[in-house]
Amino acid sequence: NRAWFYLAKVWYQRNYLDDAASALASIRGALPGDLEPERHLLEAQVLMYLNRFDEAIRALERWQPVGDHGDIWSSYARFNIGVAMVRQGKVEEAAELLNEVGQIAAPNEEAAALRDKANLALGFAWLKANRPDDAKKVLQRVRLEGPLSNKALLAVGWADSAEKRYTKALAPWLELR
């Protein structure tokens, strides 16, 4: 099982998605420790990249992470389900999940980064759905000192611009400079 899992990871990283899906399907039973939740997330990501969003959502919904890191794995699962829903055009349903992940407690850098990713993903989804006010609300939750701050500042400017507040759009854009 471990060999299939690591083979699937390598194939996924090299963009051999069908091979990765086949390797994951060859795993029988549960993997030890944190490999099991990682396997479920990898499976969902492979399915999403293969445009099999419904299967990815079902795979994540039937999986219940447990153990010491269950909360963070559960948040990753909700994030991935939300992204899959956005890609299917189900923004309203995705918003509930992404908003939830976008407000998780962040006791460490990993959780803070996931929270920022969820807020950024939801912000861009709202922008694409022509809801700039909703976009700004979630984009402003992204940390200014994090790895996604530049994208969030750019998007906040786009939201202001979409509302024809061009002078206000300059503030986040000038911060980028």
Side-chain angles (χ1 to χ4, degrees):
N1 282 342
R2 279 187 194 192
W4 283 119
F5 171 72
Y6 286 114
L7 187 58
K9 264 182 99 164
V10 169
W11 279 336
Y12 171 75
Q13 291 167 345
R14 293 186 178 178
N15 209 27
Y16 296 125
L17 302 174
D18 289 320
D19 293 326
S22 178
L24 288 165
S26 298
I27 296 172
R28 301 290 176 245
L31 292 168
D34 276 348
L35 293 181
E36 183 63 14
E38 190 176 351
R39 168 188 141 189
H40 287 283
L41 291 177
L42 179 62
E43 179 184 15
Q45 288 174 313
V46 167
L47 290 169
M48 284 191 288
Y49 280 114
L50 290 171
N51 293 319
R52 293 162 50 186
F53 301 113
D54 288 331
E55 289 176 63
I57 291 168
R58 280 194 303 275
L60 288 168
E61 285 176 339
R62 69 176 173 258
W63 167 58
Q64 295 298 314
V66 293
D68 295 339
H69 305 293
D71 286 344
I72 193 69
W73 288 115
S74 178
S75 295
Y76 275 116
R78 288 193 313 275
F79 172 78
N80 282 319
I81 291 170
V83 169
M85 287 178 165
V86 167
R87 289 181 180 168
Q88 287 183 310
K90 300 176 181 176
V91 178
E92 292 291 336
E93 293 152 305
E96 188 175 317
L97 290 169
L98 292 173
N99 194 43
E100 188 179 311
V101 177
Q103 297 183 64
I104 61 171
N108 56 42
E109 181 59 30
E110 180 183 14
L114 179 60
R115 184 178 62 199
D116 286 348
K117 280 180 76 169
N119 286 318
L120 191 65
L122 183 54
F124 276 107
W126 285 139
L127 282 173
K128 190 173 179 183
N130 200 27
R131 292 178 53 180
D133 191 49
D134 291 327
K136 273 180 41 178
K137 289 174 186 169
V138 294
L139 289 166
Q140 289 173 337
R141 294 192 307 219
V142 176
R143 296 173 294 158
L144 283 175
E145 298 297 322
L148 299 174
S149 61
N150 287 351
K151 289 181 181 179
L153 286 169
L154 182 64
V156 167
W158 286 341
D160 285 327
S161 179
E163 294 177 323
K164 306 218 183 310
R165 294 190 231 167
Y166 303 112
T167 305
K168 194 169 182 182
L170 288 174
W173 291 342
L174 288 173
E175 182 65 30
L176 286 172
R177 189 184 65 121

